[in-house]
Amino acid sequence: MAQPVDATLTDVGEFGLIAELVALFEQGEQVLIGPGDDAAVLRIRNGHVVVSSDLMVEGRHFRRDWASAEDVGHRAAAQNLSDINAMGGVAHSLTIGLAAPGDLPAQWALDFARGFAAECALVGASVVGGDLTRADQVVVAVTVMGACTEAPVVRSGAAAGDVLALTGRQGWAAGGLAVLGRGFRSPRVLVEAYRRPAPPYPAGRVAAEAGATAMIDISDGLLAEAGHLAERSGVSIDVRRDAFDLAEPLLAVGAALGVDPMEFVLGGGDDHALLATFGSRAQVPEGWSVIGSVAEGSGVTVDGAAYEGPTGWTHF
Amino acid sequence: MAQPVDATLTDVGEFGLIAELVALFEQGEQVLIGPGDDAAVLRIRNGHVVVSSDLMVEGRHFRRDWASAEDVGHRAAAQNLSDINAMGGVAHSLTIGLAAPGDLPAQWALDFARGFAAECALVGASVVGGDLTRADQVVVAVTVMGACTEAPVVRSGAAAGDVLALTGRQGWAAGGLAVLGRGFRSPRVLVEAYRRPAPPYPAGRVAAEAGATAMIDISDGLLAEAGHLAERSGVSIDVRRDAFDLAEPLLAVGAALGVDPMEFVLGGGDDHALLATFGSRAQVPEGWSVIGSVAEGSGVTVDGAAYEGPTGWTHF
């Protein structure tokens, strides 16, 4: 950038920074009109648009001393792209709003945008518009749009007799967050999993094509999200501990912090793994693991019994 | 609501408040899946989606002591719906993110949502999703989606020889803001224009059908927005003072505050009037007034000369 490396948002000004940000965003072929007009215009091939919006607030959803700007950009994009994944859709376009104090380094905003754009590129999606304004605290507002079939996979379709399956890393981000919360920086692989989740992007569409009956993105904790599936579907769900092979770094952190590492798996969010139900074990696609079952009734159990640990990880 | 009238966001909790908010949002026929799943799903009839996002920050874009929650809701929706209007499109769906301190009265959020939904209903649009979270300051993040033709009206299409035309109230909101800024509350009609703008919603589509060559929404000031049209189209624009009949309340406020009321008209934003160019005077639709002309060159003049007053109203 043409500005000094320590230039702030106030130094650069909104219009100057917007021009630099927009230059980072490559436009896909679905974009008829990109950033810079009153609105963007997208060409939509199929007849459905799947859309979701999320807010991330500094100090609540992220800390600038715990993750780089690029990491925060990756996370902000990932948690939104994951919502489209969880419907069985494929994201194509995003808008991004950034509210920030005037003393925010302009470089932070640019690095954030670079991370955001890189995450979007993983699924071939474009940043087509947004807004930049001042606020006392950094707030990131993202809306993501995607394509889906006329039969998106919702939370309410699970039926007694279905199997419960999971894909993606689960519990790693919660382990990383626990490590950071105690002032540590290792195991690095877990800290990185928290800073920059790796959602299983194509898996949602694959599950939809395989006939998933219900699906949800694990952002707040496996058992909490299983609870949403159970409630919305009017069923009970049982999760089996022995379905999980605890990865070595989770065992190490559990031992170091004196925590049962299964708590990270059962209560952890932020990895943006997917949880889905299928009519039979034979329908579960490659890359998914059966971790439980669906029955009549209500609520979520672990190995057939009530679970006493935390069911949803609290964002500090 | 079931909560005591003075309940805060903290008292009610996010999940409780979300349920009450969602109940306020009626879903249109384009909504296959509304709020409450990982994402909403819209059925899209035509092949284009026009999309825009905006942020509103308390203390910067609105003050809770200057406008009711319902007014702020109306304004937040209006400024976004206006962006779709300015492309010649028709809004159909919105998402809304609300970040707020825990001590925000839950009733404020509900009244805000009621105003937001009422404004959306003016154009038949639905609130299909959103997010609610805590922050130090109220931040409202809105994304609006709409339908448009394959030839949306952009900022870059004005050509030498075109006429410049305006529709909608212009300068009233700036007059109202000036009144509030001096601690007054009247003329009430101007204060109300600031609190709750009345954008000329169907006018954008009408202008598009009439062959408008370029169009923009006046959110930051008439001359500032004319400047964007001129720059993007590679032309010069001249605005004529005698094209405006100054309404009586503007004359009254000008006299009371010792300000030339034309400053509100030429520099004021927030009314969300539309500015457009047409190839000839004969093409200008009913309800629009010709206020200037387009020529070769660059920049914006008033009555053929450089303008010395404020060209864009600054949000305090």
Side-chain angles (χ1 to χ4, degrees):
Chain A
M1 60 190 282
Q3 302 294 329
V5 291
D6 57 351
T8 66
L9 209 59
T10 300
D11 298 332
V12 179
E14 268 99 332
F15 282 112
L17 187 55
I18 286 172
E20 294 198 64
L21 291 170
V22 166
L24 295 174
F25 300 136
E26 286 182 36
Q27 300 301 312
E29 59 177 17
Q30 85 282 11
V31 185
L32 183 64
I33 297 174
D37 219 294
D38 289 281
V41 180
L42 313 174
R43 284 187 203 91
I44 299 301
R45 281 221 193 78
N46 88 2
H48 292 80
V49 170
V50 53
V51 57
S52 179
S53 293
D54 264 324
L55 294 171
M56 273 175 62
V57 178
E58 178 175 13
R60 188 165 176 85
H61 301 104
F62 67 93
R63 283 175 51 161
R64 276 192 272 158
D65 57 337
W66 279 7
S68 72
E70 214 168 332
D71 288 336
V72 176
H74 272 277
R75 272 188 69 202
Q79 78 174 41
N80 280 278
L81 296 171
S82 179
D83 284 321
I84 303 304
N85 200 27
M87 301 298 284
V90 177
H92 53 61
S93 311
L94 299 95
T95 63
I96 180 159
L98 177 64
D103 65 0
L104 184 84
Q107 194 61 51
W108 193 94
L110 290 165
D111 289 344
F112 166 84
R114 202 168 281 118
F116 192 90
E119 188 74 20
C120 293
L122 293 177
V123 300
S126 312
V127 180
V128 301
D131 195 9
L132 176 66
T133 191
R134 310 294 173 95
D136 297 343
Q137 186 180 22
V138 180
V139 178
V140 177
V142 178
T143 296
V144 57
M145 288 153 285
C148 69
T149 68
E150 61 183 4
V153 186
V154 294
R155 298 179 177 183
S156 56
D162 284 358
V163 296
L164 180 74
L166 174 85
T167 190
R169 291 190 309 212
Q170 173 56 24
W172 289 45
L177 182 58
V179 163
L180 286 167
R182 303 290 183 98
F184 301 117
R185 291 288 185 272
S186 71
R188 191 154 184 86
V189 67
L190 295 189
V191 171
E192 288 302 319
Y194 170 73
R195 289 177 173 155
R196 202 176 285 203
Y201 288 126
R205 185 182 45 184
V206 171
E209 287 167 356
T213 52
M215 187 152 54
I216 196 167
D217 146 56
I218 303 178
S219 49
D220 288 335
L222 194 161
L223 295 182
E225 308 289 3
H228 293 311
L229 280 187
E231 188 187 346
R232 295 288 297 279
S233 296
V235 295
S236 70
I237 290 180
D238 185 55
V239 175
R240 286 200 333 271
R241 277 193 180 83
D242 67 6
F244 298 93
D245 285 326
L246 285 172
E248 199 285 327
L250 286 177
L251 294 168
V253 168
L257 303 185
V259 175
D260 176 358
M262 275 305 290
E263 285 192 11
F264 300 131
V265 173
L266 297 175
D270 289 322
D271 288 303
H272 300 292
L274 291 183
L275 196 60
T277 53
F278 296 88
S280 73
R281 191 174 280 266
Q283 283 182 290
V284 177
E286 200 177 333
W288 289 73
S289 304
V290 173
I291 63 161
S293 55
V294 180
E296 290 182 7
S298 66
V300 176
T301 51
V302 176
D303 296 333
Y307 179 68
E308 304 294 333
T311 57
W313 208 257
T314 308
H315 305 273
F316 55 98
Chain B
M1 60 190 282
Q3 302 294 327
V5 290
D6 58 350
T8 66
L9 209 59
T10 300
D11 297 333
V12 179
E14 269 98 332
F15 283 112
L17 187 54
I18 286 172
E20 294 197 65
L21 291 170
V22 165
L24 296 174
F25 300 137
E26 284 182 37
Q27 299 302 312
E29 60 177 16
Q30 85 282 11
V31 184
L32 184 63
I33 297 173
D37 218 295
D38 290 281
V41 180
L42 313 174
R43 284 187 203 90
I44 300 300
R45 283 222 190 76
N46 88 3
H48 291 82
V49 171
V50 53
V51 56
S52 180
S53 293
D54 265 324
L55 294 171
M56 273 174 65
V57 177
E58 177 175 14
R60 186 167 177 85
H61 301 105
F62 67 93
R63 282 174 53 161
R64 274 192 272 157
D65 56 337
W66 281 8
S68 72
E70 212 167 335
D71 288 336
V72 176
H74 272 276
R75 273 189 67 203
Q79 76 173 43
N80 281 277
L81 296 171
S82 179
D83 284 321
I84 304 305
N85 200 27
M87 301 299 283
V90 177
H92 53 60
S93 311
L94 299 95
T95 64
I96 181 158
L98 178 64
D103 64 1
L104 184 84
Q107 194 61 50
W108 193 94
L110 289 166
D111 290 342
F112 166 84
R114 202 167 280 119
F116 192 91
E119 187 73 20
C120 293
L122 295 177
V123 301
S126 313
V127 180
V128 301
D131 196 9
L132 176 66
T133 190
R134 310 294 172 97
D136 296 343
Q137 186 179 22
V138 180
V139 178
V140 176
V142 178
T143 295
V144 56
M145 288 152 285
C148 69
T149 68
E150 61 184 3
V153 186
V154 294
R155 298 179 177 183
S156 56
D162 284 359
V163 296
L164 180 73
L166 174 85
T167 190
R169 290 192 307 211
Q170 174 56 23
W172 290 45
L177 183 58
V179 163
L180 287 167
R182 303 290 184 97
F184 300 118
R185 290 288 184 273
S186 70
R188 193 157 181 83
V189 66
L190 295 189
V191 171
E192 287 302 319
Y194 169 74
R195 288 179 173 155
R196 201 178 285 203
Y201 288 126
R205 186 183 45 185
V206 171
E209 287 167 356
T213 53
M215 188 152 53
I216 195 166
D217 147 56
I218 303 179
S219 49
D220 287 336
L222 194 161
L223 296 182
E225 308 290 3
H228 293 310
L229 281 187
E231 188 187 346
R232 295 291 295 281
S233 296
V235 295
S236 70
I237 289 179
D238 184 54
V239 175
R240 287 201 332 272
R241 274 193 181 82
D242 66 7
F244 298 94
D245 285 327
L246 285 172
E248 198 285 327
L250 286 177
L251 293 170
V253 168
L257 304 185
V259 176
D260 176 359
M262 275 305 289
E263 285 192 12
F264 300 132
V265 172
L266 296 175
D270 289 322
D271 288 302
H272 300 292
L274 291 182
L275 197 60
T277 53
F278 296 88
S280 73
R281 192 174 277 267
Q283 283 183 291
V284 177
E286 200 177 335
W288 290 73
S289 305
V290 173
I291 62 161
S293 55
V294 181
E296 289 183 7
S298 66
V300 176
T301 51
V302 176
D303 296 332
Y307 179 68
E308 305 293 334
T311 57
W313 209 258
T314 308
H315 306 273
F316 57 96

